[in-house]
Amino acid sequence: LLHPLPRCFRALNRTNQAVVMAASGMMEGMEKGHVVTKLEGVHKKAPSRRRGHLGKRTKFVRELVQEVMGLAPYQKRIQELLKVGRDKRALKLAKKKLGTHGRAKRCRENMAALLRKARK
């Protein structure tokens, strides 16, 4: 059972559900902690929850760099393999270069999308 709060901020009621205890200003006990007023309408996520999320600026910069610099040699080779229908070989090459199966599949799909875009 995963709880959204650390153990020091929650207590379990009789049905083993997490219950947030209000701070009492005391140094010890179940409701220990400084009393603060919660801000209304503020739901700030922890930075760790946002990690890995692609931002607008980063996406724009990556697209611009790709447009200016072109493709890496291994990406050009993957495109050539896709042109002749060697999808599995393209995946194996991408996996060797990128390290994981998931990254390789994403790379192969991106290269296939670029090929489709170039044909139009």
Side-chain angles (χ1 to χ4, degrees), residues 89-101:
R89 174 56 61 185
L91 182 68
K92 287 177 90 170
L93 173 66
K95 186 173 185 296
K96 181 145 176 63
K97 292 292 182 183
L98 298 172
T100 68
H101 186 68

Side-chain angles (χ1 to χ4, degrees), residues 81-107:
L81 289 167
L82 290 171
K83 279 181 192 173
V84 295
R86 309 268 323 260
D87 290 22
K88 189 170 181 179
R89 174 56 61 185
L91 182 68
K92 287 177 90 170
L93 173 66
K95 186 173 185 296
K96 181 145 176 63
K97 292 292 182 183
L98 298 172
T100 68
H101 186 68
R103 288 176 186 172
K105 287 199 306 190
R106 194 178 318 124
C107 176

Side-chain angles (χ1 to χ4, degrees), residues 60-74:
F60 170 73
V61 169
R62 283 182 188 165
E63 287 174 358
L64 186 67
V65 168
Q66 172 118 42
E67 192 177 315
V68 172
M69 299 300 295
L71 298 173
Y74 81 93

